[in-house]
Amino acid sequence: QLRGDLDTIVLTALRPEPDRRYESAALLVGDLERFLDGRPILARPDSLLYRCRKFCGRNRWTVGVSAASLTALLSLAVFDATRLRDERDTARQEAQKAKQVSRFLRELFEAPNPMAVTQTSDLTTLEVLDAGAARLERGEDKALVGQPVVQAEMLHTMAVVYNGMLKFERAERLIRRAVELRAAHLGAG
C-alpha cells in the first residue's frame, strides 16, 4: 500500500544509518508536502523521467489536451503531406500523358512519308486522322506500348473528332476500344 514515493519517504525516515535519514523533521515534512502536492520528493534519486511523470500527474488535463492537440496536428500534417504527394503524382502522370499525346499528334501532322505522297497531293484532315487511328489500333507507336490510359485518351479524342465530322461508325469503333482499354486498366467502374 505504501509503494512509490510514500514508501521511499517512510524508508528514508526509518534508515538505521543517521547520515542516510532526513536531517530534520522539517525536511521530512517538506517531502510529505511535496508528495501530497504531486511534486518530486527529495528522498528519491532525481531523473528526467521521474520529474516528467510527476509533472504529468499534476497537470493531467493540460498534458492530455496538449497531447491530443499534437496528435491532431501531426495527423493533419501526415494527411496533408499524403494528399499533396498524391496530387503531385497525379499531376506528373497527367503531364506525361499530355506530352505523349502532344508528341503523337505532332508526329501525325508533321510532313508524311515523302515516298507515299507526291508533291501535288495534299492530305486531308480525315486521311491524317485515319492514319493516326490505324497506328493506335495496330499498336505501332512504341512510346504508347504499356500506356493503356494514354492510348484510351487519344482514341477518345479522335472519336470526338470523327463524331464532329459525322463519321459515326469510325467514332463508335474508337470509343469502344477506348472504353475497353480503360476498363481493363482502371476497372469496370
Side-chain angles (χ1 to χ4, degrees):
Q1 291 180 0
L2 297 179
R3 273 183 287 192
D5 285 348
L6 192 54
D7 185 37
T8 304
I9 292 170
V10 170
L11 290 175
T12 301
L14 296 175
R15 288 206 182 265
E17 308 88 13
D19 58 324
R20 296 189 65 201
R21 286 190 293 237
Y22 287 104
E23 293 179 10
S24 68
L27 288 175
L28 173 62
V29 169
D31 254 2
L32 287 171
E33 287 174 348
R34 281 188 281 282
F35 168 75
L36 292 172
D37 291 341
R39 294 180 294 145
I41 62 170
L42 300 176
R44 181 177 288 270
D46 197 21
S47 73
L48 182 61
L49 180 62
Y50 173 65
R51 288 185 170 278
C52 286
R53 234 181 28 239
K54 286 297 187 179
F55 178 81
C56 291
R58 280 192 322 271
N59 301 292
R60 282 190 178 109
W61 177 253
T62 305
V63 170
V65 169
S66 298
S69 298
L70 183 61
T71 301
L73 284 174
L74 288 175
S75 298
L76 184 61
V78 168
F79 172 76
D80 201 32
T82 302
R83 186 180 53 82
L84 288 174
R85 186 194 68 224
D86 291 346
E87 287 178 7
R88 180 201 64 212
D89 292 347
T90 301
R92 284 182 179 165
Q93 289 171 350
E94 290 299 319
Q96 184 64 27
K97 187 169 34 169
K99 283 181 186 177
Q100 290 172 331
V101 170
S102 175
R103 182 201 50 77
F104 179 81
L105 292 176
R106 186 179 61 250
E107 288 175 3
L108 194 60
F109 285 100
E110 280 179 348
N113 181 353
M115 301 302 283
V117 180
T118 64
Q119 295 241 336
T120 59
S121 69
D122 289 324
L123 288 177
T124 66
T125 303
L126 185 59
E127 290 170 330
V128 172
L129 198 57
D130 286 343
R135 270 179 61 189
L136 277 176
E137 289 181 301
R138 288 191 303 263
E140 292 176 358
D141 196 291
K142 304 273 188 272
L144 297 178
V145 173
Q147 301 285 332
V149 175
V150 177
Q151 290 175 355
E153 183 75 26
M154 291 174 31
L155 287 167
H156 183 116
T157 301
M158 291 177 146
V160 169
V161 174
Y162 273 130
N163 194 53
M165 298 172 80
L166 306 178
K167 303 295 181 186
F168 302 121
E169 289 175 14
R170 294 176 189 172
E172 182 180 2
R173 187 183 74 237
L174 293 182
I175 204 72
R176 285 185 187 279
R177 180 68 183 131
V179 168
E180 288 172 9
L181 284 170
R182 285 183 175 133
H185 185 71
L186 303 174

